[in-house]
Amino acid sequence: MGGAALIQVPTASILALGAFLFCIGLYGALTKRNLIMVLVSVELMLNAANINLVAFSRLGAAPSLDGQVFSLFTITIAAAEIAVGLALLLAVFRLRKTSEVKDLDTLKR
């Protein structure tokens, strides 16, 4: 029942994971036609940025909690963003009866 050994993950691996997730989110945001999938892709990009913030906070001569604090602010803003995004999605769906991105250009007229 001794303490479990901590596994040190290299910072480069964490940054690569963040970059990979960001690329997946960017691809989804640019190519998906469904508004819900676009919102999920934006959330994935925000979470990838949070991973990078935490990874960068580990770097340096004196690692600090600044990255974690910024990450918490980003998570809070992302929660507000998804609430507003879903409210707008529901309003557009009630008006247009569709959640396709290409049908939103009719709002310009």
Side-chain angles (χ1 to χ4, degrees):
M1 290 246 213
L6 293 177
I7 299 173
Q8 293 292 328
V9 179
T11 306
S13 298
I14 297 171
L15 293 176
L17 173 67
F20 182 68
L21 288 177
F22 189 84
C23 289
I24 291 173
L26 184 64
Y27 175 78
L30 294 177
T31 60
K32 298 297 178 188
R33 291 182 286 181
N34 191 343
L35 277 175
I36 295 174
M37 291 306 296
V38 171
L39 285 174
V40 168
S41 298
V42 169
E43 290 296 318
L44 188 61
M45 291 189 318
L46 286 172
N47 286 330
N50 286 336
I51 289 173
N52 285 336
L53 283 172
V54 172
F56 280 126
S57 73
R58 288 178 34 180
L59 295 176
S64 64
L65 294 177
D66 292 343
Q68 284 89 344
V69 171
F70 284 132
S71 231
L72 286 175
F73 284 130
T74 307
I75 290 169
T76 305
I77 290 173
E81 176 257 334
I82 199 69
V84 170
L86 285 176
L88 289 172
L89 174 68
L90 286 174
V92 168
F93 185 77
R94 286 180 183 167
L95 184 65
R96 303 281 182 214
K97 302 293 187 231
T98 184
S99 65
E100 297 292 318
V101 175
K102 66 179 180 170
D103 296 334
L104 292 181
D105 65 346
T106 58
L107 295 176
K108 294 178 188 174
R109 295 179 210 142

